[in-house]
Amino acid sequence: MTDRHLWLRHETRTTERRTPIVPSDARRLVESGVRITVEDSPQRIFPTEAYEEAGCEVTEPGRWPKAPSDAVIVGLKELPDEPAELTHRHIFFGHAYKGQPGAEALLRRFAAGGGALLDLEYLVDDQGRRLAAFGFWAGYLGAALAVLHHRGGLATPLVPMAKEEMEARLRASEGDLTALVIGALGRSGSGARAALDEAGVEPTCWDVAETRDLDKGALLAHDLMVNTVLTTSPVPPFLTDKDLDTPDRRLRTLADVTVDVGSPMNVLPFYDTTTDWDHPVRRLREHPPLDLIAIDNLPSLLPREASTDFSAALLPQLLDFRTDGAWGRCLDRFRRASNELGLTTRELPDD
């Protein structure tokens, strides 16, 4: 890939410390002929100086709307509300194709400015498998927080830490519990199982076969549940409000790693607001108690490990950035979603 300009933006969410491109991979890109501009960001887990040493240009936070028109803006989480017109190609997790709150407004901003969303959730291979994902760490942290809360050892507000510290907390936690991981064979499910193993918990593991005809009674008979299932079409919910009021419910702690709030694909449609770092747990029922953990940027609690893994997976895709292949599929998905809203998208140059 030559004559490419990537612009790594500062994340405006104060709890977001991850980055999609770590300094060592930025160096690889620069050495391959890619120009990289990095916005200074005091909260990013890697210091700006490390990017400068890797050959990147540095600018102040929030300058991306004034980037050259051919620059590709790279980030992770949501964009600020301004500008109203998005003129660039953006790579980030847009959460705009499942009818989520704010999805239509975001796509209209791209239509107004002539830009395009290359959503990282839809960066997939020929078989539809994700090419770069934070799933393992999301599952790991969802299960870790659930165990610590269930055992009375979750300190709040949450703060980022190293993996070794989280492992030590899990090993030190005590208390018998039965746990269920749904989606256990996927990336997030494997992360959840790894955290539970650190905590000395051997979970029940369900995947597609067990959820095809889900046994709600068996689900509710566990103390703790971690949901890691990501659906692409509506399916019957795993639990409803009515299920939570089952008299003999044993379930006390529920971690929803998927956090599909507001989407018709949500398999846990009994809540409509996420939890956060300041208030990671919400009480859903009092008698018997049931607590929810539903944080939508869990991997940022282990920002170094999560960023390093994700960047390593994304690097080959950035080195081979062009309008066909995986990125072409991203662009097609953006155009299809826009067309469904009656929005017009412009043709983009070949790379």
Side-chain angles (χ1 to χ4, degrees):
M1 181 174 78
T2 58
D3 301 325
R4 167 69 48 223
H5 186 183
L6 299 178
W7 188 290
L8 182 61
R9 61 176 170 87
H10 160 73
E11 298 288 338
T12 56
R13 188 187 292 209
T14 57
T15 58
E16 189 51 75
R17 302 195 67 207
R18 292 172 296 173
T19 176
I21 306 173
V22 302
S24 58
D25 291 332
R27 184 184 297 277
R28 295 263 316 268
L29 287 161
V30 170
E31 290 172 349
S32 74
V34 181
R35 177 185 176 191
I36 302 182
T37 299
V38 177
E39 293 185 356
D40 187 29
S41 178
Q43 68 199 44
R44 190 185 292 129
I45 186 61
F46 296 95
T48 302
E49 293 76 17
Y51 290 94
E52 210 165 10
E53 293 169 3
C56 303
E57 305 166 24
V58 174
T59 190
E60 60 266 32
R63 288 283 297 172
W64 60 264
K66 299 184 182 299
S69 60
D70 63 345
V72 179
I73 314 302
V74 186
L76 286 176
K77 300 301 287 185
E78 66 275 359
L79 296 172
D81 293 336
E82 297 293 334
E85 299 182 358
L86 298 172
T87 61
H88 296 88
R89 283 171 287 181
H90 282 257
I91 295 173
F92 72 109
F93 289 98
H95 303 300
Y97 302 152
K98 297 181 183 178
Q100 299 98 321
E104 181 174 345
L106 176 64
L107 293 176
R108 289 190 179 279
R109 290 171 69 190
F110 278 109
L117 168 61
L118 302 175
D119 196 313
L120 286 164
E121 186 177 336
Y122 296 85
L123 183 67
V124 298
D125 64 15
D126 292 336
Q127 286 73 47
R129 294 180 295 235
R130 296 269 296 276
L131 291 168
F134 286 103
F136 178 90
W137 295 109
Y140 183 96
L141 285 156
L145 298 185
V147 167
L148 292 175
H149 171 68
H150 195 87
R151 289 175 168 173
L154 182 62
T156 59
L158 303 178
V159 295
M161 64 185 70
K163 182 172 181 283
E164 293 76 14
E165 182 179 353
M166 179 60 79
E167 288 174 342
R169 293 187 183 189
L170 288 171
R171 291 168 187 162
S173 65
E174 296 180 345
D176 293 335
L177 63 90
T178 57
L180 169 66
V181 178
I182 304 186
L185 300 183
R187 281 194 184 100
S188 293
S190 64
R193 289 186 284 113
L196 290 167
D197 182 63
E198 290 286 352
V201 178
E202 186 173 346
T204 302
C205 296
W206 289 1
D207 209 79
V208 175
E210 293 81 6
T211 56
R212 198 173 282 122
D213 186 19
L214 187 142
D215 184 340
K216 292 187 179 181
L219 186 159
L220 293 169
H222 292 82
D223 299 310
L224 181 152
M225 168 185 150
V226 184
N227 173 51
T228 69
V229 172
L230 180 66
T231 60
T232 56
S233 59
V235 298
F238 293 166
L239 290 174
T240 65
D241 260 317
K242 182 179 178 181
D243 297 320
L244 303 189
D245 293 323
T246 302
D248 59 350
R249 167 177 53 82
R250 181 172 175 175
L251 186 66
R252 297 291 185 269
T253 304
L254 194 163
D256 186 11
V257 173
T258 306
V259 197
D260 249 340
V261 175
S263 165
M265 284 63 157
N266 188 3
V267 297
L268 301 173
F270 47 79
Y271 76 98
D272 58 9
T273 307
T274 60
T275 63
D276 56 39
W277 289 28
D278 289 330
H279 304 96
V281 181
R282 179 182 306 129
R283 178 61 56 90
L284 296 179
R285 292 291 189 275
E286 290 290 347
H287 305 292
L290 175 61
D291 293 331
L292 169 74
I293 297 172
I295 299 171
D296 66 356
N297 67 333
L298 282 167
S300 201
L301 289 166
L302 294 179
R304 184 175 298 275
E305 292 85 356
S307 296
T308 300
D309 284 357
F310 185 87
S311 179
L314 185 62
L315 176 63
Q317 309 310 317
L318 294 176
L319 287 169
D320 191 30
F321 188 98
R322 58 181 192 269
T323 54
D324 60 357
W327 294 110
R329 286 187 283 273
C330 282
L331 186 57
D332 289 343
R333 188 65 185 86
F334 162 71
R335 286 173 172 157
R336 188 160 73 250
S338 299
N339 291 340
E340 288 169 358
L341 294 174
L343 303 176
T344 302
T345 57
R346 69 178 177 89
E347 290 297 317
L348 297 174
D350 292 332
D351 292 293

